[in-house]
Amino acid sequence: MKDTDIKRLLYTNLLCVFSIFLSIFIPSFFVDNFSVLEAHLTWLCICSASVTTVNLLSYLVVKPNVSSKRSSLSHKVTRALKCCVCFLMSCFLLHIIFVLYGAPLIELVLETFLFAVVLSTFTTVPCLCLLGPNLKAWLRVFSRNGVTSIWENSLQITTVSSFIGAWLGAFPIPLDWERPWQVWPISCTLGATFGYVAGLVISPLWIYWNRKQLTYKNN
């Protein structure tokens, strides 16, 4: 493991963090009195689009998982379509899980679905960029000692921290503090966002700190 690889990972992750800040501050130049809380649904769409775009561009430039095999145009198109289908399936699956865990079934359907979209953006999109629509690779990465690179280590940490952040964000909802951010699903989306950013920052630092102990097996 080289320090230059860890630096590439750090810079890529910081770009993803920057995309979160862009989604917060850029709309204020076009919309008067824009607020993440007051225009939460709009912000969720902007945040999802911003993070997805930066993820795609950064992985295309950095290419952390370069394959020695040349793929045809039809293969690339098929792969892209499969990734889109996987992303949509992830959104619907998370929406169903949220409803099973107590989210409103009929009311606030759009809010719940957009929460599923943004959480899928934080978790599924990086997986698709790095691993593609390969279920075996996903199971390998998220199994014990299954990672084969620092990029997959970072993917593990960021994905888990996003889910933990979303889960922790649900705790303030039933409390009688009467704060605007306690409305479903604002606290959950903010928790997921903080978890995602924390994972992006912590993962390269953790990998650097433990670089002497970390060993990776080739695919």
Side-chain angles (χ1 to χ4, degrees), residues 56-144:
L56 290 172
L57 291 176
S58 60
Y59 278 104
L60 286 173
V61 172
V62 177
K63 295 180 179 179
N65 228 1
V66 179
S67 175
S68 58
K69 298 179 181 178
R70 278 193 169 185
S71 55
S72 62
L73 178 61
S74 61
H75 175 76
K76 292 178 180 178
V77 171
T78 303
R79 180 186 171 93
L81 290 175
K82 286 182 179 179
C83 288
C84 292
V85 171
C86 288
F87 177 74
L88 289 175
M89 288 176 62
S90 170
C91 294
F92 286 114
L93 179 61
L94 286 175
H95 184 101
I96 293 170
I97 292 173
F98 296 154
V99 171
L100 292 176
Y101 272 87
L105 177 61
I106 305 300
E107 298 177 349
L108 305 176
V109 174
L110 180 60
E111 286 82 350
T112 304
F113 183 72
L114 287 179
F115 173 35
V117 169
V118 81
L119 188 56
S120 293
T121 301
F122 295 156
T123 56
T124 306
V125 168
C127 290
L128 291 171
C129 289
L130 186 63
L131 306 173
N134 185 341
L135 181 59
K136 289 183 179 180
W138 289 40
L139 293 175
R140 172 182 57 77
V141 169
F142 291 100
S143 63
R144 187 177 180 181

Coordinates of all heavy atoms in Angstrom, one line a residue, residues 56-144:
L56 N -19.5 9.9 -10.0 CA -19.2 9.3 -11.3 C -18.0 9.9 -11.9 O -17.1 9.2 -12.5 CB -20.4 9.6 -12.2 CG -21.7 8.8 -11.9 CD1 -22.9 9.3 -12.8 CD2 -21.5 7.3 -12.2
L57 N -17.8 11.3 -11.8 CA -16.7 11.9 -12.4 C -15.4 11.5 -11.7 O -14.4 11.3 -12.4 CB -16.9 13.5 -12.4 CG -18.0 14.0 -13.3 CD1 -18.1 15.5 -13.0 CD2 -17.7 13.8 -14.7
S58 N -15.4 11.5 -10.4 CA -14.2 11.1 -9.7 C -13.7 9.7 -10.0 O -12.5 9.5 -10.2 CB -14.4 11.3 -8.2 OG -15.5 10.5 -7.7
Y59 N -14.7 8.8 -10.1 CA -14.3 7.4 -10.3 C -13.9 7.2 -11.8 O -13.0 6.4 -12.1 CB -15.4 6.4 -10.0 CG -15.5 6.1 -8.5 CD1 -16.5 6.7 -7.7 CD2 -14.6 5.3 -7.9 CE1 -16.5 6.4 -6.4 CE2 -14.6 5.0 -6.6 CZ -15.6 5.5 -5.8 OH -15.6 5.3 -4.5
L60 N -14.4 8.0 -12.7 CA -14.0 7.9 -14.1 C -12.6 8.5 -14.2 O -11.8 8.0 -15.1 CB -14.9 8.7 -15.0 CG -16.3 8.1 -15.3 CD1 -17.2 9.0 -16.0 CD2 -16.1 6.8 -16.1
V61 N -12.2 9.5 -13.5 CA -10.9 10.1 -13.5 C -9.9 9.3 -12.8 O -8.8 9.0 -13.3 CB -10.9 11.5 -13.0 CG1 -9.5 12.1 -12.9 CG2 -11.8 12.4 -13.8
V62 N -10.2 8.9 -11.6 CA -9.2 8.2 -10.7 C -9.1 6.7 -11.1 O -8.0 6.1 -11.1 CB -9.7 8.3 -9.2 CG1 -8.7 7.5 -8.4 CG2 -9.7 9.7 -8.8
K63 N -10.2 6.1 -11.6 CA -10.3 4.7 -12.0 C -9.6 3.7 -11.0 O -8.6 3.1 -11.2 CB -9.6 4.5 -13.3 CG -10.3 5.3 -14.5 CD -9.6 5.1 -15.8 CE -10.3 5.8 -16.9 NZ -9.6 5.7 -18.2
P64 N -10.2 3.6 -9.8 CA -9.6 2.8 -8.7 C -9.7 1.3 -9.0 O -9.0 0.5 -8.4 CB -10.4 3.2 -7.5 CG -11.7 3.6 -8.0 CD -11.4 4.3 -9.3
N65 N -10.6 0.9 -9.9 CA -10.8 -0.5 -10.1 C -10.7 -0.8 -11.6 O -11.6 -1.3 -12.3 CB -12.2 -0.9 -9.7 CG -12.2 -2.2 -8.8 OD1 -11.2 -2.7 -8.6 ND2 -13.4 -2.6 -8.4
V66 N -9.5 -0.6 -12.1 CA -9.2 -0.7 -13.6 C -9.2 -2.2 -13.9 O -8.5 -3.0 -13.3 CB -7.9 0.0 -14.0 CG1 -7.7 -0.2 -15.5 CG2 -8.0 1.5 -13.6
S67 N -9.9 -2.6 -15.0 CA -9.9 -3.9 -15.4 C -9.0 -4.1 -16.6 O -8.9 -3.2 -17.5 CB -11.3 -4.4 -15.8 OG -11.3 -5.7 -16.4
S68 N -8.2 -5.2 -16.7 CA -7.3 -5.4 -17.8 C -8.0 -5.7 -19.1 O -7.5 -5.6 -20.2 CB -6.3 -6.5 -17.4 OG -7.0 -7.7 -17.1
K69 N -9.3 -6.2 -19.0 CA -10.0 -6.6 -20.1 C -10.7 -5.4 -20.8 O -11.2 -4.5 -20.1 CB -11.1 -7.6 -19.7 CG -10.6 -8.9 -19.1 CD -11.8 -9.8 -18.8 CE -11.3 -11.1 -18.1 NZ -12.4 -11.9 -17.7
R70 N -10.6 -5.3 -22.1 CA -11.3 -4.3 -22.8 C -12.8 -4.7 -23.1 O -13.0 -5.8 -23.4 CB -10.6 -4.1 -24.2 CG -9.4 -3.2 -24.1 CD -9.0 -2.8 -25.5 NE -8.0 -1.8 -25.5 CZ -7.5 -1.2 -26.6 NH1 -8.0 -1.5 -27.8 NH2 -6.6 -0.2 -26.5
S71 N -13.6 -3.8 -22.8 CA -15.1 -4.1 -23.0 C -15.6 -3.3 -24.1 O -15.2 -2.1 -24.4 CB -15.8 -3.7 -21.7 OG -15.6 -2.4 -21.3
S72 N -16.6 -3.9 -24.8 CA -17.2 -3.2 -26.0 C -18.2 -2.2 -25.6 O -18.5 -2.1 -24.4 CB -17.9 -4.3 -26.8 OG -18.9 -4.9 -26.1
L73 N -18.6 -1.4 -26.5 CA -19.5 -0.3 -26.2 C -20.9 -0.9 -25.7 O -21.5 -0.4 -24.8 CB -19.8 0.5 -27.5 CG -20.8 1.7 -27.3 CD1 -20.4 2.7 -26.3 CD2 -21.0 2.4 -28.7
S74 N -21.3 -2.0 -26.4 CA -22.5 -2.6 -25.9 C -22.5 -3.1 -24.5 O -23.4 -3.0 -23.7 CB -22.9 -3.8 -26.9 OG -21.9 -4.8 -26.9
H75 N -21.3 -3.6 -24.1 CA -21.1 -4.1 -22.8 C -21.2 -2.9 -21.8 O -21.8 -3.1 -20.7 CB -19.8 -4.8 -22.6 CG -19.4 -5.2 -21.2 ND1 -20.0 -6.3 -20.6 CD2 -18.6 -4.7 -20.3 CE1 -19.6 -6.4 -19.4 NE2 -18.7 -5.5 -19.2
K76 N -20.6 -1.8 -22.1 CA -20.6 -0.6 -21.3 C -22.0 -0.1 -21.1 O -22.4 0.3 -20.0 CB -19.7 0.4 -21.8 CG -18.2 0.1 -21.7 CD -17.4 1.2 -22.3 CE -15.9 0.8 -22.3 NZ -15.0 1.9 -22.9
V77 N -22.8 -0.1 -22.2 CA -24.2 0.4 -22.2 C -25.0 -0.5 -21.3 O -25.8 -0.1 -20.5 CB -24.7 0.5 -23.6 CG1 -26.2 0.8 -23.5 CG2 -24.0 1.6 -24.4
T78 N -24.8 -1.8 -21.5 CA -25.6 -2.8 -20.7 C -25.2 -2.7 -19.2 O -26.1 -2.7 -18.4 CB -25.2 -4.2 -21.1 OG1 -25.5 -4.4 -22.5 CG2 -26.0 -5.3 -20.4
R79 N -24.0 -2.5 -18.9 CA -23.5 -2.3 -17.5 C -24.2 -1.0 -16.9 O -24.6 -1.0 -15.8 CB -22.0 -2.2 -17.5 CG -21.4 -2.0 -16.1 CD -19.9 -1.8 -16.2 NE -19.3 -1.4 -15.0 CZ -18.8 -2.2 -14.1 NH1 -18.8 -3.5 -14.3 NH2 -18.2 -1.8 -13.0
A80 N -24.2 0.1 -17.7 CA -24.8 1.3 -17.2 C -26.3 1.1 -16.9 O -26.8 1.6 -15.9 CB -24.5 2.4 -18.2
L81 N -27.0 0.4 -17.8 CA -28.4 0.2 -17.6 C -28.7 -0.6 -16.4 O -29.6 -0.4 -15.6 CB -29.0 -0.5 -18.9 CG -29.1 0.4 -20.1 CD1 -29.6 -0.4 -21.3 CD2 -30.0 1.6 -19.9
K82 N -27.8 -1.7 -16.2 CA -27.9 -2.5 -15.0 C -27.7 -1.7 -13.7 O -28.4 -1.9 -12.7 CB -26.9 -3.7 -15.1 CG -27.3 -4.8 -16.1 CD -26.3 -5.9 -16.0 CE -26.7 -7.0 -17.0 NZ -25.6 -8.1 -17.0
C83 N -26.8 -0.8 -13.8 CA -26.5 0.1 -12.6 C -27.7 1.0 -12.3 O -28.1 1.2 -11.2 CB -25.3 1.0 -12.9 SG -23.7 0.1 -12.8
C84 N -28.3 1.5 -13.4 CA -29.5 2.3 -13.2 C -30.7 1.5 -12.6 O -31.4 2.0 -11.6 CB -30.0 2.9 -14.5 SG -28.9 4.1 -15.2
V85 N -30.9 0.3 -13.0 CA -31.9 -0.6 -12.5 C -31.6 -0.9 -11.0 O -32.5 -0.9 -10.2 CB -32.0 -1.9 -13.3 CG1 -32.9 -2.9 -12.6 CG2 -32.5 -1.6 -14.7
C86 N -30.3 -1.2 -10.7 CA -29.9 -1.5 -9.3 C -30.2 -0.3 -8.4 O -30.7 -0.5 -7.3 CB -28.5 -1.9 -9.3 SG -28.1 -3.5 -10.0
F87 N -29.9 0.9 -8.9 CA -30.2 2.1 -8.1 C -31.6 2.3 -7.8 O -32.0 2.5 -6.7 CB -29.6 3.3 -8.8 CG -29.9 4.6 -8.1 CD1 -29.2 4.9 -7.0 CD2 -30.8 5.5 -8.6 CE1 -29.4 6.1 -6.3 CE2 -31.1 6.7 -7.9 CZ -30.4 7.0 -6.7
L88 N -32.5 2.1 -8.8 CA -33.9 2.2 -8.7 C -34.4 1.2 -7.7 O -35.3 1.4 -6.8 CB -34.6 2.1 -10.0 CG -34.5 3.3 -10.9 CD1 -35.1 3.0 -12.3 CD2 -35.1 4.6 -10.3
M89 N -34.0 -0.1 -7.8 CA -34.4 -1.1 -6.9 C -34.0 -0.8 -5.5 O -34.7 -1.1 -4.6 CB -33.7 -2.5 -7.4 CG -34.3 -3.0 -8.7 SD -33.5 -4.5 -9.2 CE -33.8 -5.6 -7.8
S90 N -32.8 -0.2 -5.3 CA -32.3 0.2 -4.0 C -33.2 1.2 -3.4 O -33.6 1.1 -2.2 CB -30.9 0.7 -4.1 OG -30.5 1.3 -2.9
C91 N -33.6 2.2 -4.2 CA -34.6 3.2 -3.7 C -35.9 2.6 -3.3 O -36.4 3.0 -2.2 CB -34.8 4.3 -4.8 SG -33.3 5.2 -5.3
F92 N -36.5 1.8 -4.1 CA -37.8 1.2 -3.7 C -37.6 0.3 -2.5 O -38.5 0.2 -1.6 CB -38.3 0.4 -4.9 CG -38.9 1.3 -6.0 CD1 -38.3 1.4 -7.2 CD2 -40.0 2.1 -5.7 CE1 -38.8 2.2 -8.2 CE2 -40.5 2.9 -6.7 CZ -39.9 3.0 -8.0
L93 N -36.5 -0.5 -2.4 CA -36.3 -1.4 -1.3 C -36.2 -0.6 0.0 O -36.8 -1.0 1.0 CB -35.1 -2.2 -1.6 CG -34.7 -3.2 -0.4 CD1 -35.8 -4.2 -0.2 CD2 -33.4 -3.9 -0.7
L94 N -35.4 0.5 0.0 CA -35.2 1.3 1.2 C -36.6 1.9 1.5 O -36.9 2.1 2.7 CB -34.2 2.4 0.9 CG -32.7 1.9 0.9 CD1 -31.8 3.0 0.6 CD2 -32.4 1.3 2.3
H95 N -37.4 2.4 0.6 CA -38.7 3.0 0.8 C -39.5 1.9 1.6 O -40.2 2.3 2.6 CB -39.3 3.4 -0.5 CG -40.6 4.1 -0.3 ND1 -40.8 5.4 -0.4 CD2 -41.9 3.6 0.0 CE1 -42.0 5.8 -0.1 NE2 -42.7 4.7 0.1
I96 N -39.6 0.7 1.1 CA -40.3 -0.3 1.8 C -39.9 -0.6 3.2 O -40.6 -0.7 4.1 CB -40.3 -1.6 0.9 CG1 -41.0 -1.4 -0.4 CG2 -40.9 -2.8 1.7 CD1 -40.8 -2.6 -1.4
I97 N -38.5 -0.6 3.4 CA -38.0 -0.8 4.7 C -38.4 0.3 5.6 O -38.7 0.1 6.8 CB -36.4 -0.9 4.6 CG1 -36.0 -2.2 3.9 CG2 -35.8 -0.9 6.0 CD1 -34.6 -2.4 3.6
F98 N -38.3 1.6 5.2 CA -38.7 2.7 6.0 C -40.2 2.6 6.4 O -40.5 2.9 7.6 CB -38.5 4.0 5.2 CG -37.1 4.3 4.9 CD1 -36.8 5.1 3.8 CD2 -36.1 3.8 5.6 CE1 -35.5 5.4 3.5 CE2 -34.7 4.0 5.3 CZ -34.4 4.8 4.2
V99 N -41.0 2.2 5.5 CA -42.5 2.0 5.9 C -42.6 0.9 6.9 O -43.4 1.0 7.9 CB -43.3 1.7 4.6 CG1 -44.7 1.3 5.0 CG2 -43.3 2.9 3.7
L100 N -41.9 -0.2 6.7 CA -42.0 -1.3 7.7 C -41.5 -0.9 9.1 O -41.9 -1.4 10.1 CB -41.2 -2.5 7.2 CG -41.7 -3.2 5.9 CD1 -40.8 -4.3 5.5 CD2 -43.1 -3.8 6.2
Y101 N -40.6 0.1 9.1 CA -40.0 0.5 10.4 C -40.8 1.7 10.9 O -40.4 2.3 11.9 CB -38.6 0.9 10.3 CG -37.7 -0.3 10.5 CD1 -37.3 -1.1 9.5 CD2 -37.1 -0.5 11.8 CE1 -36.5 -2.2 9.7 CE2 -36.3 -1.6 12.0 CZ -36.0 -2.5 10.9 OH -35.2 -3.6 11.1
G102 N -42.0 2.1 10.3 CA -42.8 3.1 10.9 C -43.1 4.3 10.1 O -43.8 5.2 10.6
A103 N -42.5 4.5 9.0 CA -42.7 5.7 8.2 C -44.2 5.7 7.7 O -44.8 4.6 7.5 CB -41.8 5.7 7.0
P104 N -44.8 6.8 7.4 CA -46.2 6.9 7.0 C -46.3 6.1 5.7 O -45.6 6.3 4.7 CB -46.4 8.4 6.8 CG -45.4 9.1 7.7 CD -44.2 8.2 7.7
L105 N -47.4 5.3 5.6 CA -47.6 4.5 4.4 C -48.3 5.3 3.3 O -47.9 5.3 2.1 CB -48.5 3.3 4.7 CG -48.9 2.4 3.6 CD1 -47.7 1.8 2.9 CD2 -49.9 1.3 4.0
I106 N -49.2 6.2 3.6 CA -50.0 6.9 2.6 C -49.5 8.4 2.6 O -49.2 8.9 1.5 CB -51.5 6.9 2.9 CG1 -52.0 5.4 3.0 CG2 -52.3 7.7 1.8 CD1 -51.8 4.6 1.7
E107 N -49.4 9.0 3.8 CA -49.0 10.4 3.8 C -47.5 10.5 3.7 O -46.7 9.5 4.0 CB -49.4 11.0 5.2 CG -50.9 11.0 5.4 CD -51.2 11.6 6.8 OE1 -50.3 11.7 7.6 OE2 -52.4 11.8 7.0
L108 N -47.0 11.6 3.2 CA -45.6 11.9 3.1 C -44.8 10.8 2.2 O -43.7 10.5 2.5 CB -44.9 12.0 4.5 CG -45.5 13.0 5.4 CD1 -44.8 12.9 6.8 CD2 -45.4 14.4 4.9
V109 N -45.5 10.3 1.2 CA -44.9 9.3 0.3 C -43.7 9.9 -0.4 O -42.6 9.2 -0.5 CB -45.9 8.8 -0.7 CG1 -45.3 7.8 -1.6 CG2 -47.1 8.0 0.1
L110 N -43.8 11.1 -0.9 CA -42.7 11.7 -1.7 C -41.5 12.0 -0.8 O -40.4 11.7 -1.2 CB -43.2 13.0 -2.3 CG -42.2 13.8 -3.1 CD1 -41.7 12.9 -4.3 CD2 -42.7 15.1 -3.6
E111 N -41.8 12.4 0.5 CA -40.7 12.7 1.4 C -40.0 11.4 1.7 O -38.7 11.4 1.8 CB -41.3 13.3 2.7 CG -41.7 14.7 2.6 CD -43.1 14.9 2.0 OE1 -43.7 13.9 1.5 OE2 -43.6 16.0 2.0
T112 N -40.7 10.3 2.0 CA -40.1 9.0 2.3 C -39.3 8.5 1.1 O -38.2 8.0 1.3 CB -41.2 8.0 2.7 OG1 -41.9 8.5 3.8 CG2 -40.5 6.7 3.1
F113 N -39.8 8.6 -0.1 CA -39.1 8.1 -1.3 C -37.9 8.9 -1.5 O -36.8 8.3 -1.9 CB -40.0 8.2 -2.5 CG -39.4 7.6 -3.7 CD1 -39.2 6.2 -3.8 CD2 -39.0 8.4 -4.8 CE1 -38.5 5.7 -5.0 CE2 -38.3 7.9 -5.9 CZ -38.1 6.5 -6.0
L114 N -37.9 10.3 -1.4 CA -36.7 11.1 -1.6 C -35.7 10.8 -0.5 O -34.4 10.9 -0.8 CB -37.1 12.5 -1.6 CG -37.8 13.0 -2.9 CD1 -38.2 14.5 -2.8 CD2 -37.0 12.7 -4.1
F115 N -36.1 10.4 0.7 CA -35.1 10.0 1.7 C -34.4 8.7 1.2 O -33.2 8.6 1.4 CB -35.9 9.8 3.0 CG -35.0 9.2 4.1 CD1 -33.6 9.5 4.2 CD2 -35.6 8.3 5.0 CE1 -32.9 8.9 5.2 CE2 -34.8 7.8 6.0 CZ -33.5 8.1 6.1
A116 N -35.2 7.8 0.7 CA -34.7 6.6 0.1 C -33.7 6.9 -1.0 O -32.6 6.2 -1.1 CB -35.8 5.7 -0.3
V117 N -34.0 7.8 -1.8 CA -33.2 8.2 -3.0 C -31.8 8.7 -2.5 O -30.7 8.4 -2.9 CB -33.9 9.2 -3.9 CG1 -32.9 9.8 -4.9 CG2 -35.0 8.6 -4.6
V118 N -31.9 9.7 -1.5 CA -30.6 10.3 -1.0 C -29.8 9.3 -0.3 O -28.5 9.3 -0.4 CB -30.9 11.5 -0.2 CG1 -31.3 11.2 1.3 CG2 -29.7 12.5 -0.2
L119 N -30.4 8.3 0.5 CA -29.6 7.3 1.2 C -29.0 6.3 0.2 O -27.9 5.9 0.4 CB -30.5 6.6 2.2 CG -29.8 5.6 3.1 CD1 -28.7 6.3 3.9 CD2 -30.8 5.0 4.1
S120 N -29.8 6.0 -0.9 CA -29.2 5.2 -1.9 C -28.0 5.9 -2.6 O -27.1 5.2 -3.0 CB -30.3 4.8 -3.0 OG -31.3 4.0 -2.4
T121 N -28.1 7.2 -2.8 CA -27.0 8.0 -3.4 C -25.8 7.9 -2.5 O -24.7 7.7 -3.1 CB -27.5 9.4 -3.5 OG1 -28.6 9.5 -4.3 CG2 -26.3 10.3 -4.1
F122 N -25.9 7.9 -1.2 CA -24.8 7.8 -0.3 C -24.2 6.4 -0.2 O -23.0 6.2 0.1 CB -25.2 8.3 1.1 CG -25.6 9.7 1.2 CD1 -26.4 10.1 2.2 CD2 -25.1 10.6 0.3 CE1 -26.7 11.5 2.4 CE2 -25.5 12.0 0.4 CZ -26.3 12.4 1.4
T123 N -25.0 5.4 -0.5 CA -24.6 4.0 -0.3 C -24.5 3.2 -1.6 O -23.4 2.6 -1.9 CB -25.5 3.3 0.7 OG1 -26.9 3.4 0.2 CG2 -25.5 4.0 2.0
T124 N -25.5 3.2 -2.4 CA -25.6 2.3 -3.6 C -24.7 2.9 -4.7 O -24.1 2.1 -5.4 CB -27.0 2.1 -4.0 OG1 -27.8 1.7 -3.0 CG2 -27.1 1.2 -5.2
V125 N -24.8 4.2 -4.9 CA -24.0 4.8 -6.0 C -22.5 4.6 -5.9 O -21.9 4.1 -6.9 CB -24.4 6.3 -6.1 CG1 -23.4 7.0 -7.1 CG2 -25.8 6.6 -6.6
P126 N -21.9 4.8 -4.7 CA -20.5 4.5 -4.7 C -20.2 3.0 -4.9 O -19.2 2.6 -5.5 CB -20.1 4.9 -3.2 CG -21.1 5.9 -2.8 CD -22.4 5.5 -3.5
C127 N -21.1 2.1 -4.4 CA -20.9 0.7 -4.7 C -21.0 0.4 -6.2 O -20.2 -0.4 -6.7 CB -22.0 -0.1 -3.9 SG -21.8 -0.1 -2.1
L128 N -21.9 1.0 -6.9 CA -22.0 0.7 -8.3 C -20.8 1.3 -9.1 O -20.4 0.7 -10.0 CB -23.3 1.3 -8.8 CG -24.6 0.7 -8.3 CD1 -25.9 1.5 -8.7 CD2 -24.8 -0.7 -8.9
C129 N -20.4 2.5 -8.6 CA -19.2 3.0 -9.3 C -18.0 2.2 -9.1 O -17.2 2.0 -10.1 CB -18.9 4.4 -8.7 SG -20.1 5.7 -9.2
L130 N -17.8 1.6 -8.0 CA -16.6 0.9 -7.7 C -16.7 -0.6 -8.1 O -15.7 -1.2 -8.6 CB -16.2 0.9 -6.2 CG -14.9 0.3 -5.7 CD1 -13.7 1.0 -6.4 CD2 -14.8 0.4 -4.2
L131 N -17.8 -1.2 -7.8 CA -18.0 -2.7 -8.0 C -18.9 -3.0 -9.2 O -18.8 -4.2 -9.6 CB -18.6 -3.3 -6.7 CG -17.8 -3.0 -5.4 CD1 -18.6 -3.5 -4.2 CD2 -16.4 -3.6 -5.4
G132 N -19.7 -2.1 -9.6 CA -20.6 -2.4 -10.7 C -21.8 -3.2 -10.2 O -21.9 -3.5 -9.0
P133 N -22.7 -3.7 -11.0 CA -23.8 -4.5 -10.6 C -23.5 -5.9 -10.4 O -24.0 -6.8 -11.0 CB -24.8 -4.3 -11.8 CG -23.9 -4.1 -13.0 CD -22.7 -3.4 -12.5
N134 N -22.5 -6.1 -9.6 CA -21.9 -7.5 -9.3 C -22.3 -7.9 -7.9 O -21.6 -7.5 -6.9 CB -20.4 -7.5 -9.6 CG -19.8 -8.9 -9.5 OD1 -20.4 -9.8 -8.9 ND2 -18.6 -9.1 -10.0
L135 N -23.3 -8.7 -7.7 CA -23.7 -9.1 -6.4 C -22.7 -9.8 -5.6 O -22.5 -9.6 -4.4 CB -25.0 -10.0 -6.5 CG -25.6 -10.5 -5.2 CD1 -26.0 -9.3 -4.3 CD2 -26.8 -11.4 -5.4
K136 N -21.9 -10.7 -6.3 CA -20.8 -11.4 -5.6 C -19.8 -10.5 -5.0 O -19.3 -10.7 -3.9 CB -20.2 -12.4 -6.6 CG -21.0 -13.6 -6.9 CD -20.3 -14.6 -7.8 CE -21.2 -15.8 -8.2 NZ -20.5 -16.8 -9.1
A137 N -19.4 -9.5 -5.8 CA -18.5 -8.5 -5.3 C -19.0 -7.7 -4.1 O -18.3 -7.4 -3.2 CB -18.1 -7.5 -6.5
W138 N -20.3 -7.4 -4.2 CA -20.9 -6.7 -3.0 C -20.9 -7.5 -1.8 O -20.5 -7.0 -0.7 CB -22.3 -6.3 -3.4 CG -22.5 -5.2 -4.4 CD1 -21.8 -5.0 -5.5 CD2 -23.5 -4.2 -4.4 NE1 -22.3 -3.9 -6.2 CE2 -23.3 -3.4 -5.5 CE3 -24.5 -3.8 -3.5 CZ2 -24.1 -2.3 -5.8 CZ3 -25.3 -2.7 -3.8 CH2 -25.1 -2.0 -4.9
L139 N -21.2 -8.8 -1.9 CA -21.2 -9.7 -0.8 C -19.8 -9.9 -0.2 O -19.6 -10.0 1.0 CB -21.8 -11.1 -1.2 CG -23.3 -11.0 -1.5 CD1 -23.7 -12.4 -2.0 CD2 -24.2 -10.6 -0.3
R140 N -18.8 -9.9 -1.1 CA -17.4 -10.1 -0.7 C -17.0 -8.9 0.1 O -16.4 -9.0 1.1 CB -16.5 -10.3 -2.0 CG -15.0 -10.3 -1.6 CD -14.2 -10.4 -2.9 NE -14.5 -9.4 -3.9 CZ -14.0 -8.2 -3.8 NH1 -13.3 -7.8 -2.8 NH2 -14.3 -7.3 -4.8
V141 N -17.2 -7.7 -0.4 CA -16.8 -6.5 0.2 C -17.4 -6.3 1.6 O -16.7 -5.9 2.5 CB -17.1 -5.2 -0.7 CG1 -16.8 -3.9 0.1 CG2 -16.2 -5.3 -1.9
F142 N -18.7 -6.6 1.7 CA -19.3 -6.4 3.0 C -19.3 -7.6 3.9 O -20.1 -7.7 4.9 CB -20.7 -5.9 2.8 CG -20.8 -4.5 2.2 CD1 -21.0 -4.3 0.8 CD2 -20.5 -3.4 3.0 CE1 -21.0 -3.0 0.3 CE2 -20.5 -2.1 2.5 CZ -20.7 -1.9 1.1
S143 N -18.5 -8.6 3.5 CA -18.3 -9.7 4.4 C -17.0 -9.5 5.2 O -16.3 -8.6 4.9 CB -18.2 -11.0 3.6 OG -17.0 -11.0 2.8
R144 N -16.8 -10.3 6.2 CA -15.6 -10.1 7.0 C -14.3 -10.5 6.3 O -14.2 -11.5 5.6 CB -15.7 -11.1 8.3 CG -14.6 -10.8 9.3 CD -14.8 -11.7 10.5 NE -13.7 -11.5 11.5 CZ -13.6 -12.1 12.6 NH1 -14.5 -13.1 12.9 NH2 -12.6 -11.9 13.4

